[in-house]
């Protein structure tokens, strides 16, 4: 099974029709959602103190990247979930070694 972490930037583009990435994100989202539902594998992960601590540590390891705490939480979540890619638009994930989709 292929795991994909969904970042909030993609959801914003999905909801805001005037976003320049709306159509690209919409089409890819449908594919991801259909696959997740068909497999019975749609998981919502909430942060906790352990994830928060790992996110702060990730920020400290990349001081020149100017990463947001939110993106670091997402990166920790994606890494722990062994995500093959990140469904999102934020290039910070590429800096951290993830493949971006769409």
């Amino acid at each position: 099974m292929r795991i994909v972490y969904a970042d909030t930037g993609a959801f914003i583009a999905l909801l805001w029709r005037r976003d320049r990435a709306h159509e690209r994100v919409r089409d890819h989202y449908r594919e991801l959602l259909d696959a997740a539902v068909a497999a019975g594998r749609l998981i919502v992960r909430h942060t906790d103190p352990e994830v928060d601590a790992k996110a702060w540590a990730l920020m400290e390891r990349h001081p020149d990247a100017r990463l947001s705490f939110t993106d670091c939480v997402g990166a920790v979540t994606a890494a722990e979930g062994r995500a093959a890619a990140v469904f999102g638009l934020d290039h910070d994930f590429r800096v951290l070694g993830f493949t971006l989709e769409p």
Side-chain angles (χ1 to χ4, degrees):
M1 172 183 20
R2 186 167 177 269
I3 298 170
V4 177
Y5 171 79
D7 185 47
T8 55
F11 285 112
I12 291 168
L14 178 67
L15 296 172
W16 190 34
R17 292 183 180 159
R18 295 189 322 188
D19 190 291
R20 61 188 160 102
H22 174 76
E23 288 184 29
R24 178 171 47 112
V25 167
R26 181 194 62 209
D27 295 342
H28 195 70
Y29 176 74
R30 285 184 182 147
E31 293 171 20
L32 289 176
L33 186 59
D34 288 347
V37 170
R41 298 285 304 176
L42 184 61
I43 299 169
V44 176
R45 171 75 160 85
H46 298 278
T47 189
D48 56 39
E50 183 179 336
V51 170
D52 290 350
K54 290 176 182 178
W56 286 120
L58 183 61
M59 285 180 77
E60 290 173 357
R61 285 195 307 273
H62 297 276
D64 296 335
R66 301 183 67 186
L67 302 169
S68 72
F69 177 72
T70 302
D71 285 344
C72 288
V73 167
V76 168
T77 302
E80 288 184 352
R82 295 185 180 97
V86 171
F87 173 59
L89 305 170
D90 194 332
H91 293 283
D92 289 348
F93 288 102
R94 280 199 177 116
V95 170
L96 297 172
F98 292 97
T99 300
L100 277 181
E101 294 181 4

